[in-house]
Amino acid sequence: MPADTDIEATGVVIDVLPGGKFKVKLDTGQTIEAHLSGKMRTFSIKIVLADRVTLALSMYDLARGRITRRL
């Protein structure tokens, strides 16, 4: 699947869950569960509570996302 089919969104981390997952509140008000992208894990980019992040959401499941950037 091409990467351009992902939906870009921004939000704020509101909870840190076990297993490298996060609860993120999007700017639209929706709360989703997200995990770190592979590059962020490789370079040990840390995400903490109240960080603003950019997410990639699949068009097939809008309740889960992948954190691609920390703002």
Side-chain angles (χ1 to χ4, degrees), residues 3-67:
D4 61 352
T5 59
D6 289 342
I7 300 166
E8 290 279 322
T10 58
V12 177
V13 175
I14 59 171
D15 196 12
V16 179
L17 303 173
K21 297 193 187 260
F22 303 90
K23 285 234 182 233
V24 179
K25 184 171 180 115
L26 300 180
D27 293 340
T28 60
Q30 182 183 7
T31 302
I32 65 164
E33 186 175 307
H35 65 274
L36 287 177
S37 68
K39 288 279 187 177
M40 291 187 77
R41 280 183 198 254
T42 302
F43 293 110
S44 300
I45 306 296
K46 302 297 182 198
I47 302 292
V48 294
L49 201 61
D51 272 348
R52 286 198 56 78
V53 293
T54 301
L55 300 143
L57 302 170
S58 171
M59 67 170 67
Y60 298 111
D61 187 9
L62 297 176
R64 295 176 192 261
R66 183 175 63 250
I67 298 175

